[in-house]
Amino acid sequence: MKVTTAEIDTIYKIIEPLLGHKAWNVRLGVGSFITMEFGDPVTSSRGTIFGDWHLWIYCCGWFLENPNDTYVGSEDPREILRQRIIVLEGRSLENVIISPIAFETNFIFDNSLTLHTFPLNFHDPCDYWKLYTPQRRVLILGPAPKWSYELSAG
């Protein structure tokens, strides 16, 4: 099952204001989770600094590639992941392309550096990725074809 064209258009309208912003504080989290900030810094009620936009690559596989080579993938050794994902630091997010069937997503940064995410399991209820927005809402994709745009708990 796939989402409708209208749903994909709605998702793109949510993401569109993020385009052109540079990634900062790119970090490897638990396992192969990646978080990164975009936009102006905001201090949470707990004193943590986040960006206006906060992207969390969550329960999905991923690989990072440039036009000539695959740079690193989510199942590589943790130390290599930590060293290599920082290439995203300071890169401008130029485009996001989402497959309407499986929610494979390409986050395309400047110089054609692409973070490609893909589902690992279609029956696990875990979200693939989450994008927290300046409107205190969160866009959640996965498992396909499930998606939502709801108030953020934080």
Side-chain angles (χ1 to χ4, degrees):
M1 181 186 278
K2 72 178 192 174
V3 297
T4 67
T5 302
E7 287 177 293
I8 289 291
D9 288 346
T10 299
I11 292 168
Y12 283 140
K13 284 178 185 164
I14 295 165
I15 295 170
E16 186 177 22
L18 171 61
L19 301 181
H21 287 274
K22 292 183 179 186
W24 55 275
N25 200 23
V26 177
R27 292 177 294 155
L28 183 64
V30 174
S32 62
F33 296 172
I34 300 173
T35 60
M36 62 188 82
E37 314 303 325
F38 296 88
D40 294 328
V42 176
T43 304
S44 75
S45 59
R46 296 183 190 111
T48 306
I49 298 175
F50 291 100
D52 279 337
W53 298 85
H54 172 78
L55 178 61
W56 185 3
I57 305 301
Y58 193 51
C59 291
C60 62
W62 58 266
F63 60 90
L64 190 57
E65 65 182 354
N66 63 37
N68 301 316
D69 195 14
T70 300
Y71 190 67
V72 68
S74 57
E75 294 301 309
D76 284 332
R78 192 160 172 76
E79 190 53 40
I80 292 173
L81 295 177
R82 187 178 288 112
Q83 292 170 4
R84 300 250 174 118
I85 64 165
I86 60 173
V87 72
L88 293 169
E89 191 76 28
R91 297 287 185 123
S92 176
L93 183 63
E94 302 296 329
N95 200 3
V96 177
I97 300 170
I98 302 167
S99 158
I101 297 173
F103 283 159
E104 289 180 272
T105 305
N106 285 334
F107 296 92
I108 304 169
F109 293 82
D110 57 17
N111 295 323
S112 300
L113 186 64
T114 301
L115 177 61
H116 179 84
T117 69
F118 54 92
L120 294 172
N121 186 330
F122 290 96
H123 303 287
D124 186 336
C126 198
D127 310 322
Y128 300 159
W129 56 265
K130 303 176 184 192
L131 177 64
Y132 294 81
T133 71
Q135 294 77 27
R136 299 198 182 278
R137 296 178 68 95
V138 58
L139 173 63
I140 302 170
L141 264 68
K146 184 183 135 217
W147 72 278
S148 65
Y149 186 52
E150 56 198 48
L151 287 176
S152 171

